[in-house]
Amino acid sequence: MKRVQFTNASLPYLLLLPQLAIIVIFFYWPSAQAIQSSFYLEDPFGFGSTFVGMENYTDVLGSNEYASIARFTIAFTLLVTFLSLSIALLLAVKADAVLKGSSTYKTLLMWVYAVAPPVAGLMGVMFFDMHIGPFLKVAAFFGWDFKIGLNYFDTAFAMVVIAVWKQIPYNFIFFLSGLQAIPKSVREASMIDCRSGFRRFWSIILPLLAPTAFFLLIINMTYSLFDTFGIVDVVVKDKAANNPITLVYKVYMDGFRGGDLGGSSAQSVILMLVVFVLTIFQFRFIERRVHYG
Amino acid sequence: MAYRKTVASLVAAAALLGTSNVSFAATEISWWHGMGGRNQEVINEISEKFNASQDACHLTPLSKGTYEEALNSGIAAFRAGEQPNILQVFDAGAATIINAKGAVVPAEDLIKDAGHEFSRDAFIDGVRYFYADKDGKFIGMPFNSSAPIMYINDEALKKAGVEAPKTWEEFETIAPKLKEAGFIPLVQSQLTWEFTENFFSRHNLQFATNNNGYDGVKDTKILVNTPEHKMMYSKLKEWYDNGFFGYYGAGWSDNQKPFEENKVAFWIGSSGSFGGLQKSAQMPFSATFLPYWSSVEGAGTNSFIGGAALFAFAKKPKEENDCTASFFQFLTSAEIQYFWHKSTGYVPITKAAYEMAQEQGYYKETPQAEVGIQQLMLKGGEWSKGYRMGFYPQIREIMEREYNKIFANETSVDDAMKTIEEEGNKLLERFAKTAG
């Protein structure tokens, strides 16, 4: 096979240039800036900055507050990812099996995806509102004195529910199309071999869904880590106080609200490293088990 | 060749157009602020009035969201060399902008350089020092000034047969009666501003070393871990446990709502809440000063001004600065101050405007509107002029976190104050390094 297909050696680079330019301007350049300013202590207006070495990092990593936010972020990410994936999968499998009126079911399950994240957050907040929220009445009926915004666990509960609710339709769409892509002949063959629906699902359907599931796993983890920012923001209503927040929200609070550029840059570099490690882990250890048909 | 000629003539034409614009049109100045809703409308009205009042300058106001967002948009714009002429900065952000030497032109210099008269005595005492340097020179121009005051549910008091308290001791004696009458005796909307910062001003207690932070950023320490301040929060917690105090988290409106719904007897809010409350409250209400502890010696002094001030960014051409100066003059005129006071509930900042409001009988119809300014005009003390601490918005966030923990039974008052002191001092130290 002929390997070089361009006659002009610089043409491929030229064609790559627009894409590379975008990546450099919007990713590498800001990242380099963040890494640089994480070693400095700077006044907000940029009049003077002092090199402080690793001090911003030691300050952040030595803080109890940061540790507890990190713990919450991990728990939150695992919970949201697990719940939104498993509930969506369950719904997709059931919707796939429905014969009559299936499009109605599907539309009902999908429409939430069309709701913009801040609007979804707002609807969730209304649902849990301490004065008018219908959920509070339900909780009170079971003797649960639900205090959003004051009780750490209650606020976390509301955040997880809203974040999961918002993500289910997205996962549902992918799982459903993944299920529909499984060849009918394979299903029929498995029907003959095995009578147990659960075993059929476990050993035939699920492995065939694995590429979709792997893709969704990555997307959902990034979603819980970063895209839930808007949900956290509307739930805490601008006042984080003792409420649970995620690491990204902490970067925003210190950098954009507090004007501490050095400290917040150090935090975003830490986050970058976390994502880097997570990506390597996912592709090295999980993707190996995924079978692409 | 022909192409070049066309370009050249186009450039020349554009240059001509440009110069003619400068000579005929008004000088454009911009004002970024952090207000929404009714207050934003009033700001737009004031700008229109200013533009209509003269031809030389044209002012464009722009809302940047909340106070924090306005400050940070202003900072980011300054770093990019695209700063507006005027930026509204809230009380907690004052140290950030005042300590950034060279970021702003002091309002006093700006006005004098433009050839206007400037007299500090024209302003009411309570607003004179907060945005000034330690010698009393105005760095920011006080704009929307408010005071934390106590709103009273008249119906609740009548039902319980009690009078509004002046001191917290009096409150303790009547709280059980209010509770019996079916009301939550007390709620508040911002612990940091109403029960910490203004706890120090109302009791004339020192809030930070280095003359409340005015004498410099180096070695400034916050003094929250003190017996009086701890006593205030121990009492609040005790009242909360006994059902005398309702607490609904750190959000402002979550705490205001039960008062509007006639479930609460007293609400500590802002004098600037008056306009909105007139529409939302379901019962007749009045207002009085923020109570204090008579057991603390020298208590009963005036409160710090809350709200925000206007700062003129540096590195702007002289003619724009002159326009900013004439806008500041216009804004502090008695008519505009009275208009602002009436439309929003924020206090008038000049003596002339206050007198005008009195003469026109505004307070006869609405005595609640006078409470804020009266509280600011109370006798001042050594420690009630203001405070200046760097990274203070973040220190407030630490306080909000720890105060919530107190009411969620996650920490004790002693531990909370110790944490605020430690983390707050760490931030102050960091700020001293950045500003040093």
Side-chain angles (χ1 to χ4, degrees), chain B residues 354-426:
Chain B
Y354 181 43
E355 279 158 19
M356 184 182 255
Q358 283 171 318
E359 275 162 24
Q360 304 213 352
Y362 178 51
Y363 302 129
K364 288 215 178 77
E365 305 155 33
T366 46
Q368 302 96 323
E370 198 179 5
V371 175
I373 186 164
Q374 281 174 333
Q375 183 174 300
L376 286 174
M377 289 176 76
L378 287 174
K379 147 179 89 62
E382 196 183 356
W383 305 113
S384 68
K385 291 174 178 170
Y387 62 91
R388 188 145 304 154
M389 282 180 261
F391 284 148
Y392 194 73
Q394 277 161 294
I395 299 180
R396 261 191 183 172
E397 279 164 7
I398 298 171
M399 290 176 184
E400 281 158 6
R401 186 186 78 215
E402 293 303 317
Y403 295 163
N404 259 22
K405 282 187 184 171
I406 293 176
F407 294 105
N409 285 324
E410 289 168 19
T411 188
S412 68
V413 172
D414 281 351
D415 287 344
M417 294 304 169
K418 224 191 272 164
T419 311
I420 297 168
E421 185 184 38
E422 276 167 18
E423 292 189 23
N425 285 340
K426 226 182 242 173

Side-chain angles (χ1 to χ4, degrees), chain B residues 118-352:
Chain B
F118 183 83
S119 160
R120 293 175 195 170
D121 292 334
F123 294 84
I124 65 164
D125 283 358
V127 308
R128 248 191 254 172
Y129 306 98
F130 200 92
Y131 300 103
D133 67 10
K134 69 167 189 250
D135 305 318
K137 182 196 215 173
F138 277 45
I139 308 293
M141 176 55 80
F143 171 53
N144 54 319
S145 302
S146 56
I149 59 173
M150 184 167 79
Y151 288 95
I152 302 160
N153 178 343
D154 294 336
E155 246 175 63
L157 263 63
K158 214 190 275 167
K159 262 191 204 159
V162 294
E163 298 265 310
K166 279 198 176 52
T167 64
W168 290 122
E169 282 94 346
E170 287 170 24
F171 170 77
E172 282 192 303
T173 59
I174 62 167
K177 286 179 201 157
L178 288 162
K179 191 186 169 192
E180 232 165 78
F183 292 90
I184 302 167
L186 177 73
V187 291
Q188 59 72 48
S189 269
Q190 195 181 4
L191 285 171
T192 52
W193 181 51
E194 294 158 356
F195 286 84
T196 293
E197 289 147 33
N198 280 301
F199 176 83
F200 287 94
S201 66
R202 286 288 276 151
H203 295 87
N204 196 23
L205 292 168
Q206 191 173 359
F207 188 20
T209 59
N210 271 345
N211 188 19
N212 267 6
Y214 272 63
D215 287 351
V217 290
K218 210 171 166 347
D219 295 325
T220 298
K221 300 252 184 286
I222 193 167
L223 299 172
V224 285
N225 195 10
T226 44
E228 294 90 351
H229 188 236
K230 282 202 276 194
M231 179 270 286
M232 179 80 249
Y233 280 85
S234 307
K235 283 288 182 184
L236 281 173
K237 179 64 171 55
E238 185 191 313
W239 296 341
Y240 179 73
D241 292 339
N242 292 335
F244 299 156
F245 173 56
Y247 184 69
Y248 304 90
W252 181 284
S253 51
D254 289 333
N255 288 287
Q256 178 177 350
K257 202 158 185 182
F259 180 75
E260 291 168 354
E261 289 170 348
N262 197 8
K263 291 177 186 156
V264 169
F266 305 114
W267 170 57
I268 314 291
S270 163
S271 57
S273 313
F274 175 62
L277 203 58
Q278 269 180 311
K279 291 195 189 106
S280 57
Q282 294 169 8
M283 69 291 165
F285 68 91
S286 51
T288 187
F289 299 154
L290 174 68
Y292 58 88
W293 291 98
S294 58
S295 60
V296 176
E297 211 176 313
T301 38
N302 63 355
S303 53
F304 295 140
I305 43 169
L310 303 184
F311 289 83
F313 265 124
K315 298 183 187 166
K316 286 287 181 185
K318 169 93 170 96
E319 73 253 26
E320 291 184 16
N321 281 346
D322 288 352
C323 276
T324 305
S326 24
F327 175 63
F328 282 176
Q329 288 294 97
F330 176 81
L331 191 65
T332 45
S333 68
E335 292 78 20
I336 294 299
Q337 278 299 312
Y338 179 42
F339 169 71
W340 172 248
H341 176 43
K342 254 174 76 167
S343 324
T344 62
Y346 284 108
V347 303
I349 54 168
T350 61
K351 288 172 184 162

Side-chain angles (χ1 to χ4, degrees), chain A residues 68-137:
Chain A
S68 86
I69 294 173
R71 277 195 300 272
F72 172 75
T73 310
I74 294 170
F76 178 77
T77 305
L78 292 178
L79 260 176
V80 171
T81 307
F82 174 75
L83 287 175
S84 54
L85 280 177
S86 49
I87 296 173
L89 181 61
L90 182 73
L91 289 172
V93 169
K94 293 296 170 200
D96 191 41
V98 171
L99 292 175
K100 269 186 195 164
S102 66
S103 61
T104 317
Y105 282 113
K106 286 169 195 165
T107 315
L108 275 176
L109 286 166
M110 274 185 232
W111 75 269
V112 184
Y113 184 56
V115 180
V119 179
L122 219 63
M123 285 164 72
V125 167
M126 299 278 257
F127 184 65
F128 290 107
D129 188 272
M130 63 177 79
H131 297 297
I132 54 164
F135 181 80
L136 262 72
K137 298 201 176 78

Side-chain angles (χ1 to χ4, degrees), chain A residues 41-42 44-47 55-56 59 65 130-131 147 149-150 237 239 241-242 253 256-258 260-261 263, chain B residues 68 72 75 78-79 100-103 240 247-248 250 254 258 391 394 397 400-401 404 408 410 430 433-434:
Chain A
L41 201 56
E42 195 176 359
F45 285 87
F47 285 121
E55 202 185 293
N56 287 331
D59 274 3
E65 170 66 9
M130 63 177 79
H131 297 297
K147 281 185 179 153
L150 190 56
K237 294 178 186 166
K239 299 265 181 214
N242 71 332
M253 272 186 30
F256 291 83
R257 300 260 307 264
D260 179 5
L261 291 176
Chain B
E68 283 95 346
N72 288 299
I75 290 173
F78 183 83
R79 292 175 71 110
K101 299 261 174 332
Y240 179 73
Y247 184 69
Y248 304 90
D254 289 333
F391 284 148
Q394 277 161 294
E397 279 164 7
E400 281 158 6
R401 186 186 78 215
N404 259 22
E410 289 168 19
R430 261 181 94 79
K433 277 190 216 158
T434 70

